[in-house]
Amino acid sequence: MKIDILTIFPNMFDGFLSESIIKRAIDKGFVEINVHDIRSYSTDKHKRVDDYGFGGGQGMVLMPQPIFDAVDDIRTDESKVILMTPQGEPYKQAKAYDLSKEKHLILICGHYEGFDERIRTLADMEISIGDYVLTGGELASMVITDSVVRLIDGVITSDSHIKDSFNDNLLDYPVYTKPVNFRGMEVPAVLLSGHHKNIEEFRKNESLKRTKERRPDLLEKR
Ligand code: ADE
């Protein structure tokens, strides 16, 4: 898979791309991730990427020219162009699965007070990562990238994500490691029993109990 990210703050991605599972996925060739500076596509002599909004009352608005030119340059028949915006479709694990099957994603990060409305016509979809407003789409594009890359076959063992929270609309069951007794808190005995069927049943029940307590809305979707 290939992911191209369009941003006016490319340095924000340095740490994200050089650590942990994302770095390993890139190094092993599971994904190619390119970060493009929108400014480098500006035809303005001062490389401007934003201007005042018509009608007043608004701050700076991202101009269409650099973003249209960048997408024209990068897009192929296999690309899905996604605009990061709080007005987009709320992002869910099911969408992460869908996107992990795509060959090429282009993620456009909006910024400042907004982006020129005509930029919307470039996008195959608009995604919001939650009902709050970020200073820009950069963090949102990292959330999408992270959640999609870990689902690409081979990036992590599929066992790890089959049991993820939200698969089946259930939250994860609790997990423990050593020591068996930590500050008086014991690991549930069933997990030490070696009895696989009982362990499986315990985990299923814990998942259901936890989802009922914390996210009853998910159980209604099951
Ligand atoms: N840009 C600003 N806020 C956002 C959000 N919640 N989701 C996606 N992009 C955004």
Side-chain angles (χ1 to χ4, degrees), residues 83-88 108-111 115 127-141 144:
L83 190 60
M84 304 298 123
T85 162
Q87 297 173 19
I108 305 175
C109 308
H111 225 275
F115 46 79
I127 290 181
S128 163
I129 62 159
D131 288 342
Y132 39 79
V133 182
L134 302 163
T135 54
E138 282 73 16
L139 290 171
S141 74
I144 308 281

Side-chain angles (χ1 to χ4, degrees), residues 1 18 24 49 61 73 75 78-79 97 121 130 146 152-153 160 169 187-189 193 210-211 217:
M1 171 188 271
S18 61
R24 209 173 63 211
V49 290
V61 176
D73 192 31
R75 179 181 236 166
E78 293 183 322
S79 312
Y97 271 102
T121 63
D146 189 282
I152 297 172
D153 278 345
S160 326
N169 284 313
V187 174
S193 68
R210 202 159 262 210
T211 312
D217 57 305

Side-chain angles (χ1 to χ4, degrees), residues 38-50 63 66:
I38 290 170
R39 200 172 296 279
S40 70
Y41 283 93
S42 173
T43 53
D44 177 78
K45 66 174 182 288
H46 303 296
K47 294 278 171 207
R48 288 191 70 158
V49 290
D50 55 7
M63 298 189 293

